[in-house]
Amino acid sequence: MNEIPVLLLAVSIDIIFGEPPTILHPVVHMGSIIAWMKGILSKTRLSGIIMTLVVVSVFTAPALLIGYLSDPLYTLIAAVLLSTVISIKMLFTSALDVGKSLDNSIDEAREKLSYLVSRDTTTLTDEQILSATIETLTENLTDSVTAPLFYFILLGLPGAILYRAVNTLDAMVGYLDDENRNLGWFPARLDDILNYIPSRVTGFMIVLAAFLLSMNWKNSLRVLLRDARRTPSPNSGFTMAAAAGALSVQLEKPGVYVLGDLRDLLSLEKLKDALKLSSLTLILFIISATGIMLVIP
């Protein structure tokens, strides 16, 4: 089947409408099944493997069956489902909301940021809030958009849903505390593997976007190559470091990592620049994805 209309329609649906209602959202139901299985399984690596296989199978099986529908019906249903595993509108509006709140009240900005990041936001300064917002925006370019679309290009709709299932598992159990260390080991490692190529492709596309926007693309490339591996995750640093270099700022999660050099101070203008940079990066990725699917049917 021709997957290009599915890709373009899915992106359009997400940008226009955003997230579907909770009751219809596959990722919400993934979370419910994960929470239920977490409650009944022992906290072992084997249980983590079983949980991963069950969740992936439950959600990719219907996607495989959809492939047998007629072309027009398939295109519509596949596009709607694909739109639920990407989050362009929510990603950008969430970052923009934090910035707008910071203009009015730092406490309001701290509260809104707390929904986006795992760190304690109650004592963050203006610059720390801006840093965390740019970090989560650029890191999630991969998790929320380019990685699911990358696996859609490779494996069709089942590939995109498989990625989102693994990523959701990692988000819920991929931690190093006593409760999750063993249970989340397999999905966390699998998520690292699945994100390996998309994170690097997205990082270098940020460099290209910086060039096209007349930002500091040389510094973007330099910081990407120097700092990308400074984060605990083997993948998340590539987009964050590239953005830090392009914006000529330093992004820091205190006690965990520092990316970039302190050339310019963080400001609301830098957040707006980060949104422009991220927008063009996604446009470039979608254009490239479309071109690849035209060349390789």
Side-chain angles (χ1 to χ4, degrees):
M1 295 201 183
N2 186 353
E3 301 285 26
I4 294 175
V6 175
L7 172 66
L8 298 179
L9 183 56
V11 170
S12 300
I13 290 170
D14 181 63
I15 291 173
I16 295 169
F17 299 106
E19 302 301 306
T22 299
I23 195 170
L24 300 175
H25 206 312
V27 178
V28 173
H29 295 298
M30 287 177 191
S32 298
I33 292 177
I34 293 165
W36 172 71
M37 294 192 72
K38 185 177 177 180
I40 64 172
L41 291 173
S42 60
K43 305 301 185 284
T44 63
R45 288 188 176 185
L46 179 59
S47 293
I49 294 172
I50 292 170
M51 178 190 288
T52 302
L53 292 175
V54 169
V55 173
V56 166
S57 299
V58 165
F59 287 93
T60 56
L64 288 167
L65 294 175
I66 289 168
Y68 291 99
L69 296 173
S70 61
D71 280 0
L73 192 57
Y74 167 79
T75 297
L76 178 60
I77 294 176
V80 170
L81 288 175
L82 182 61
S83 74
T84 67
V85 299
I86 59 176
S87 297
I88 301 171
K89 184 174 183 177
M90 186 174 73
L91 179 61
F92 282 78
T93 55
S94 298
L96 195 56
D97 283 347
V98 175
K100 288 179 179 177
S101 298
L102 192 57
D103 237 357
N104 302 321
S105 162
I106 191 170
D107 289 329
E108 183 184 340
R110 287 167 176 161
E111 182 182 0
K112 289 199 172 182
L113 179 62
S114 70
Y115 302 132
L116 307 179
V117 298
S118 58
R119 73 193 73 174
D120 180 13
T121 64
T122 54
T123 60
L124 295 184
T125 64
D126 287 28
E127 287 191 352
Q128 288 172 329
I129 290 170
L130 288 166
S131 177
T133 304
I134 294 172
E135 289 166 53
T136 192
L137 169 67
T138 53
E139 177 183 358
N140 281 293
L141 289 178
T142 301
D143 289 357
S144 296
V145 190
T146 62
L149 292 182
F150 176 84
Y151 287 101
F152 175 74
I153 296 166
L154 283 184
L155 302 169
L157 182 62
I161 292 177
L162 180 150
Y163 170 81
R164 177 55 64 214
V166 172
N167 188 250
T168 304
L169 280 156
D170 178 55
M172 293 186 67
V173 299
Y175 301 101
L176 295 176
D177 57 275
D178 291 340
E179 183 182 10
N180 295 295
R181 180 179 290 109
N182 290 318
L183 185 65
W185 178 85
F186 180 72
R189 299 292 80 73
L190 186 55
D191 185 72
D192 287 343
I193 292 168
L194 292 178
N195 274 317
Y196 187 89
I197 295 175
S199 65
R200 286 152 178 80
V201 170
T202 310
F204 284 103
M205 282 201 167
I206 288 177
V207 176
L208 177 57
F211 170 75
L212 295 173
L213 289 170
S214 299
M215 293 184 184
N216 198 339
W217 70 271
K218 291 182 180 178
N219 193 49
S220 178
L221 179 60
R222 183 181 68 85
V223 175
L224 184 156
L225 296 174
R226 187 193 70 190
D227 293 352
R229 293 175 178 82
R230 291 184 177 178
T231 58
S233 162
N235 301 312
S236 63
F238 282 82
T239 49
M240 291 192 291
L247 299 169
S248 297
V249 298
Q250 193 170 79
L251 301 177
E252 178 180 5
K253 184 175 183 180
V256 182
Y257 57 74
V258 177
L259 307 172
D261 304 305
L262 192 56
R263 297 186 176 190
D264 296 341
L265 294 178
L266 285 160
S267 63
L268 287 173
E269 286 305 312
K270 290 294 184 183
L271 175 56
K272 292 175 184 177
D273 286 343
L275 287 163
K276 292 176 188 175
L277 182 67
S278 300
S279 298
L280 183 55
T281 299
L282 293 186
I283 290 170
L284 292 172
F285 185 89
I286 291 164
I287 291 172
S288 300
T290 304
I292 290 169
M293 287 190 288
L294 281 172
V295 174
I296 307 174

